[in-house]
Amino acid sequence: MIKIEPELWLPQVYARARTLVDVLRHPAANYAAMSALEKDGLRQSQLEANEVLRVLGFHGDHALVMKSDQVLGWLMREDIFVDAQLACFEMPSSAQLSANDFFQIWQNTPYIWGGVTRAGIDCSGLTQRYYLDVLECQIPKNTFDQRHAGESKSVTEIARHDLIFCTRIGGRGVHHVGIYIDGSIWHAHGERGVIRETMDTFLARYQVLEVIQLLQLDAG
């Protein structure tokens, strides 16, 4: 596995993405020619056009980068341009939506592993975007970090804005996350995209691992 140790990271180099680009788990020169399934196995996250990123180092034609939410990954050098005027991240701005407006915008958006845009989003991307656009708070991107970002509670104590972590009943334990809003679960479903389901319907297919109330928020 190719990596650049933190002690060798470039000091405070920032750049912008030229276009929407996938951030990969490791360098892949032939990524564009891969199948959708192969890309799903490599895609860590995405950068939107003009989004600011930190450049940590280079390996051949690839750059190791960090997003503002601390996600690390690789992309091609040609997909970014260094901006000498940048000295820090630009924190993503909130769309300042109501919960209902948020759902109307994102409903039926297709599921894409690692996706963060209307072209395709995954379960943790949806929860991250909800917290940013509705609650004006940036939370981690992946389910592991989201699950460890707040206080655990039982499913009987679940409240508005709480995150519910689960696995598919009879599945292999892959983490899934949704948001609890007024008796329903909003989540990015692998086959159906962004949907809203009653709690009973959701629990008929998923086994709850944990409910998390994020520490910095009042869940009321």
Side-chain angles (χ1 to χ4, degrees):
M1 180 69 68
I2 297 169
K3 63 180 180 178
I4 300 175
E5 298 296 342
E7 61 267 22
L8 299 178
W9 287 356
L10 298 174
Q12 303 301 307
V13 176
Y14 290 87
R16 293 184 185 273
R18 295 186 184 278
T19 186
L20 175 65
V21 61
D22 291 345
V23 179
L24 309 180
R25 299 181 188 280
H26 58 76
N30 62 337
Y31 182 73
M34 289 182 178
S35 68
L37 185 60
E38 289 172 324
K39 288 181 178 180
D40 284 349
L42 280 178
R43 190 184 304 108
Q44 177 92 322
S45 185
Q46 293 179 315
L47 284 158
E48 298 189 69
N50 213 42
E51 184 174 345
V52 174
L53 57 133
R54 183 180 169 192
V55 181
L56 304 177
F58 297 100
H59 178 83
D61 293 332
H62 289 82
L64 177 64
V65 304
M66 177 188 291
K67 294 186 58 176
S68 64
D69 59 9
Q70 307 303 300
V71 167
L72 299 178
W74 294 87
L75 39 70
M76 299 293 290
R77 286 191 190 217
E78 63 189 28
D79 291 328
I80 62 175
F81 61 95
V82 174
D83 187 339
Q85 302 301 312
L86 291 170
C88 61
F89 288 112
E90 290 178 353
M91 289 292 102
S93 58
S94 169
Q96 298 182 325
L97 300 169
S98 70
N100 285 335
D101 285 345
F102 176 89
F103 185 78
Q104 290 302 314
I105 289 171
W106 287 91
Q107 185 177 17
N108 298 323
T109 298
Y111 183 97
I112 292 180
W113 186 274
V116 297
T117 74
R118 289 290 312 285
I121 197 163
D122 66 8
C123 63
S124 60
L126 182 71
T127 53
Q128 184 187 52
R129 180 65 67 172
Y130 177 89
Y131 268 76
L132 179 64
D133 286 347
V134 177
L135 301 173
E136 301 182 55
C137 174
Q138 187 176 40
I139 66 172
K141 168 61 177 72
N142 65 58
T143 53
F144 178 86
D145 290 334
Q146 289 182 5
R147 190 175 174 185
H148 290 82
E151 293 182 339
S152 178
K153 55 167 62 171
S154 74
V155 70
T156 59
E157 300 173 307
I158 197 167
R160 203 167 200 253
H161 313 312
D162 285 349
L163 300 184
I164 182 166
F165 295 86
C166 53
T167 62
R168 188 72 73 93
I169 294 174
R172 293 178 175 270
V174 175
H175 279 192
H176 185 63
V177 62
I179 314 157
Y180 179 82
I181 303 291
D182 302 334
S184 63
I185 303 295
W186 300 2
H187 63 120
H189 185 275
E191 290 80 42
R192 298 163 58 196
V194 176
I195 59 174
R196 173 170 52 197
E197 297 184 298
T198 66
M199 191 70 163
D200 287 344
T201 300
F202 185 82
L203 293 180
R205 290 185 291 110
Y206 292 97
Q207 176 182 352
V208 176
L209 301 173
E210 195 168 25
V211 172
I212 292 292
Q213 175 185 335
L214 294 192
L215 293 175
Q216 64 268 48
L217 293 169
D218 178 358

